[in-house]
Amino acid sequence: MWLFHLSDPLGPTEPLHMSLIFKALSPRNSWSKDELFECAYWIRQIVAVVLGVVWGLLPMEGGLGLGLYIAASSSWVYAFYAMYHKIPLELLGVHDIEVLSQGFKEGFAAFMALWIIIYSMQGTASA
C-alpha cells in the first residue's frame, strides 16, 4: 500500500513511485522541486550501491576510491537533471548544490558499507 499516493480518502489514485520512474526515464517532462529532489536522491542511492560493489570487487583502496565515488555520484545526478532533462533550476527556485546534495550522506554510507564488506570478503576468500 505504501507504493500508492493517497490523495483520495477512498483509496489510492495512482502509483506514486511508478509514475516518477516513468517520468525520470522519458526526457523533457515538467518537474516539481520535490520530484526532482526525490529522483536525485534515488539516483545517488543506485550509483552508491553499484560503485560500492564494483570498488569492492576491483579491489580499490584509499582516497582514490573516495574521490572517484564523489565525482561519479555527483556527475550522474548532474547529468540527469542538467543534460538529460535540461531542467531549468531557476524556474523551480533551486540551486545546483541543493540538488547535488540530495541523498549524499545516505548514499555515501551505503557506498562505504558495500565497499568495505565486499573488499573484506575478497581478502578472506583468498586467505
Side-chain angles (χ1 to χ4, degrees):
M1 197 71 176
W2 60 273
L3 284 176
F4 292 95
H5 179 51
L6 298 173
S7 63
D8 184 8
L10 299 176
T13 56
E14 73 174 275
L16 180 64
H17 293 293
M18 290 308 289
S19 65
L20 195 58
I21 290 170
F22 291 130
K23 192 174 196 176
L25 294 177
S26 57
R28 313 267 175 154
N29 286 315
S30 61
W31 289 82
S32 72
K33 181 178 176 180
D34 291 335
E35 289 173 329
L36 179 61
F37 283 175
E38 188 172 349
C39 275
Y41 175 88
W42 285 110
I43 288 170
R44 191 173 301 274
Q45 302 316 304
I46 292 167
V47 169
V49 168
V50 170
L51 291 182
V53 170
V54 170
W55 270 218
L57 291 174
L58 280 180
M60 189 172 294
E61 295 180 352
L64 177 64
L66 291 175
L68 288 175
Y69 164 74
I70 292 169
S73 174
S74 298
S75 297
W76 273 98
V77 172
Y78 183 80
F80 170 76
Y81 77 84
M83 296 176 183
Y84 182 64
H85 284 289
K86 298 185 183 342
I87 298 172
L89 295 180
E90 60 275 357
L91 296 179
L92 295 176
V94 179
H95 296 287
D96 285 337
I97 195 69
E98 290 178 88
V99 179
L100 289 175
S101 66
Q102 287 299 312
F104 181 79
K105 292 183 289 185
E106 296 86 352
F108 186 72
F111 163 75
M112 289 298 293
L114 285 168
W115 184 19
I116 291 168
I117 290 169
I118 293 173
Y119 181 84
S120 299
M121 288 174 55
Q122 294 283 356
T124 57
S126 63

